[in-house]
Amino acid sequence: MKKNIIFALICIVIGGLITFFIMRKSTDSNVLPDSDLIHEQMKNVSKLVVNEAKISQIYNYKDQKSFMNLISFDKKALVVVNADIQIQYDLYKLEYVVDETTKTVRITSIPKEEIKINPDIKIYDVEESTFNAFKGKDYNAIQEKVKKQFEEQVLKSNIQANAKNRLVSELGKFLVVTNSLGWTLQYQESTINQLEDFANFIP
């Protein structure tokens, strides 16, 4: 009887040890190393960051020809531009290095923004004279001139600043995960301690 009890106790102990090691192995297999967690986060942020806007603008076009400085022949038009604008950052192109020895993530290259402007240009209220009439090439010239002016205006607007803010917000996810793991985040050779650091380093 005692032998049976001892045998049963031994089986229970052995079974418990086997269960312990199996559970421990199973638990350990679900825990990713820090570097793998960082790579996973990098993959999550690898996407296209897009900032969209719509802008409308009105231009007055005027061209004048004169005859012997005595008589002028004018042609005028009202030009209306409605445009869809996209400023995007392709974070699939972001380059980085994970250094497990120093526990450092170094972002080496952030892709430049891509600006896409799709203008819809319409011409209204055309006024012309017999000796200075609108021709096909005039309409093409107006569209090219207005498009150039419009693009310059977009670059001076706050659309780029808004796009940059969205980029900084996405990059901030790297800062959260590296800080939580006790790692250091760098952009090139500069350490990133807060979101504002990204804003200072990104042109």
Side-chain angles (χ1 to χ4, degrees):
M1 183 71 175
K2 289 183 179 179
K3 290 183 178 179
N4 291 336
I5 294 174
I6 293 172
F7 178 77
L9 290 173
I10 292 172
C11 289
I12 291 172
V13 171
I14 293 174
L17 289 172
I18 292 173
T19 302
F20 171 78
F21 285 114
I22 291 175
M23 292 296 292
R24 182 177 179 182
K25 184 175 181 182
S26 175
T27 302
D28 289 346
S29 64
N30 292 328
V31 178
L32 294 174
D34 290 352
S35 58
D36 287 350
L37 288 172
I38 289 171
H39 281 297
E40 284 297 318
Q41 183 61 42
M42 290 293 191
K43 289 180 182 178
N44 291 338
V45 180
S46 294
K47 60 184 178 182
L48 198 62
V49 179
V50 180
N51 192 69
E52 296 181 313
K54 292 182 180 290
I55 292 184
S56 298
Q57 187 67 40
I58 298 175
Y59 298 89
N60 289 307
Y61 174 82
K62 183 177 181 179
D63 180 71
Q64 187 179 72
K65 288 185 179 180
S66 62
F67 177 72
M68 298 180 63
N69 293 324
L70 298 175
I71 303 175
S72 64
F73 302 98
D74 299 338
K75 57 183 175 185
K76 304 176 184 177
L78 187 68
V79 184
V80 178
V81 183
N82 293 294
D84 293 321
I85 301 166
Q86 283 189 348
I87 298 181
Q88 58 189 34
Y89 292 89
D90 187 355
L91 292 185
Y92 288 104
K93 298 177 181 178
L94 184 139
E95 298 176 3
Y96 65 94
V97 176
V98 177
D99 189 337
E100 294 186 58
T101 304
T102 61
K103 290 189 175 182
T104 301
V105 177
R106 184 178 299 107
I107 298 175
T108 58
S109 177
I110 297 174
K112 290 181 66 64
E113 78 275 12
E114 300 173 18
I115 302 175
K116 297 182 178 181
I117 302 176
N118 299 309
D120 178 24
I121 302 175
K122 294 183 179 180
I123 301 175
Y124 300 95
D125 298 336
V126 174
E127 298 180 18
E128 57 187 354
S129 63
T130 305
F131 298 100
N132 192 15
F134 277 100
K135 299 178 182 178
K137 63 179 183 180
D138 291 319
Y139 291 105
N140 293 333
I142 291 173
Q143 291 190 4
E144 288 300 318
K145 182 178 180 180
V146 168
K147 184 178 179 181
K148 185 177 180 180
Q149 290 178 337
F150 191 79
E151 290 174 352
E152 291 174 353
Q153 183 179 351
V154 167
L155 295 178
K156 294 177 182 178
S157 70
N158 63 350
I159 297 176
Q160 277 187 300
N162 293 339
K164 182 178 175 180
N165 288 339
R166 284 202 58 193
L167 172 66
V168 169
S169 178
E170 290 297 325
L171 295 176
K173 296 176 182 178
F174 300 150
L175 186 60
V176 172
V177 71
T178 50
N179 280 350
S180 66
L181 296 172
W183 283 48
T184 299
L185 179 64
Q186 292 183 336
Y187 174 58
Q188 296 180 352
E189 300 302 323
S190 301
T191 299
I192 303 295
N193 295 310
Q194 53 189 354
L195 281 180
E196 288 74 11
D197 294 336
F198 273 124
N200 294 333
F201 295 137
I202 299 172

